[in-house]
Amino acid sequence: QVQLVESGGGLVQNGGSMRLSCATSGFTLDSTAIAWFRQVPGKKREGVSCISNSDGSILYADSVKGRFTISKDNAKNTVHLQMNSLKPDDTAIYYCATGVPFTVVKNCLDLYAYDHWGQGTQVTVSS
């Protein structure tokens, strides 16, 4: 019954901002690592940001450091990704993902850590 539902995507101007949300249900949010990934056609799914369930540490891809911020609200079972200073290279389908409950991973940006995925939300940054 685990469900992840992304929202907030759309079309945004170069340099603009956008806030993505992931509504979760069916599990305790802090029991698992949680991450945002993105993917464009012909490329590998890329880890954007994540929150570890080992120590709560946060990781960001080098390409988004200083521009994106991940956060979560355990009471509301929601995860957010605030994206600022958006670039055309940020255009992708963005996915919310959660890992195996109570399984600690060393690097929460690794794709192997996740077994539940949302349907994705399209983010398009115009040039």
Side-chain angles (χ1 to χ4, degrees):
Q1 294 292 92
V2 172
Q3 288 188 307
L4 306 172
V5 181
E6 301 96 336
S7 63
L11 177 65
V12 66
Q13 184 179 349
N14 187 13
S17 297
M18 185 171 286
R19 182 177 173 88
L20 305 182
S21 297
C22 176
T24 75
S25 61
F27 67 102
T28 302
L29 186 56
D30 62 1
S31 70
T32 178
I34 190 160
W36 288 95
F37 284 76
R38 65 187 182 186
Q39 189 169 27
V40 299
K43 295 186 178 181
K44 296 179 180 179
R45 190 165 294 188
E46 174 191 24
V48 176
S49 184
C50 60
I51 303 175
S52 173
N53 63 326
S54 61
D55 58 2
S57 61
I58 295 173
L59 298 179
Y60 294 97
D62 288 340
S63 59
V64 307
K65 287 181 179 178
R67 300 188 298 120
F68 290 12
T69 303
I70 191 172
S71 62
K72 66 174 182 176
D73 185 333
N74 288 334
K76 296 182 178 180
N77 290 317
T78 57
V79 184
H80 302 283
L81 184 68
Q82 178 66 45
M83 305 184 294
N84 299 325
S85 302
L86 284 162
K87 308 173 182 178
D89 285 348
D90 296 318
T91 296
I93 301 175
Y94 283 71
Y95 298 90
C96 180
T98 60
V100 178
F102 306 108
T103 299
V104 176
V105 298
K106 295 180 180 180
N107 181 2
C108 63
L109 284 179
D110 284 347
L111 186 62
Y112 79 89
Y114 301 95
D115 62 348
H116 294 287
W117 298 85
Q119 82 288 348
T121 185
Q122 177 70 47
V123 173
T124 302
V125 185
S126 63
S127 60

